[in-house]
Amino acid sequence: MSPFQVMYGYLPPHLGFSSHATTYVAEVETDLKHRDIVIDLLKDALHKSQERMKFFANQKRTDKTFSVGDKVYLKLQPYRQTFVALRRNLKLAAKYYGPFTLKQHIGTTHIPSPALPVLDTDGQFLVIHAAALDSRTILPNGFSVPQILIQ
């Protein structure tokens, strides 16, 4: 049962038929015209809302250019921070890591990968490492946690 049907006790009106349909009933004709006016108003309001959200979102965005040797901070997603540092509470984890020195400038724009990443049988991303450079074991709260430095 849809939320509309729960609220009003009947099925929502069907708006799928064309507004250019001809009918001999005057009441149906006025309802079709009223429906077209309402749909146009809704589309206009949605477009204005999208433009307003885009305007305010773009006020905080700036284009940045970096050159080789510049120091930069990296922002990581919360679910990926566990690879950088073990945290008991992600709310208190650092948002930015670094500073890191920029070694090479590849290009000005980011081109998304045309292929989706490969997943293993558990649904996790399959990551192929170039080499394991170093390893160690830490003991947080009495549990041994192996850590490996991957290239």
Side-chain angles (χ1 to χ4, degrees):
M1 185 179 286
S2 69
F4 184 92
Q5 189 175 358
V6 170
M7 184 82 162
Y8 297 106
Y10 60 92
L11 289 173
H14 179 64
L15 300 176
F17 54 90
S18 172
S19 63
H20 303 294
T22 58
T23 180
Y24 298 110
V25 181
E27 188 65 29
V28 173
E29 190 70 31
T30 57
D31 281 349
L32 286 176
K33 288 180 182 177
H34 179 68
R35 183 195 70 161
D36 287 342
I37 292 170
V38 169
I39 288 175
D40 288 340
L41 288 173
L42 289 174
K43 285 181 182 179
D44 187 45
L46 181 63
H47 180 70
K48 285 180 182 177
S49 175
Q50 287 173 342
E51 290 296 321
R52 185 173 186 268
M53 288 189 291
K54 182 179 176 183
F55 172 76
F56 284 111
N58 287 339
Q59 281 186 337
K60 297 180 182 179
R61 295 180 180 150
T62 58
D63 289 330
K64 294 184 175 29
T65 56
F66 300 103
S67 60
V68 176
D70 286 350
K71 300 275 188 179
V72 295
Y73 283 94
L74 295 180
K75 182 176 183 179
L76 298 180
Q77 299 295 328
Y79 55 88
R80 290 288 185 188
Q81 288 181 2
T82 56
F83 292 117
V84 177
L86 293 175
R87 300 281 185 205
R88 186 174 284 224
N89 187 348
L90 290 179
K91 182 177 179 180
L92 301 177
K95 288 185 179 182
Y96 299 97
Y97 291 91
F100 296 103
T101 304
L102 196 62
K103 292 184 179 180
Q104 181 184 4
H105 185 70
I106 296 174
T108 56
T109 60
H110 171 69
I111 301 171
S113 173
L116 294 174
V118 180
L119 300 176
D120 62 4
T121 57
D122 296 331
Q124 300 294 325
F125 291 113
L126 183 62
V127 180
I128 301 171
H129 309 295
L133 301 176
D134 195 11
S135 66
R136 70 178 182 183
T137 302
I138 62 171
L139 298 169
N141 299 328
F143 296 103
S144 67
V145 177
Q147 291 184 342
I148 301 173
L149 179 60
I150 302 292
Q151 181 180 5

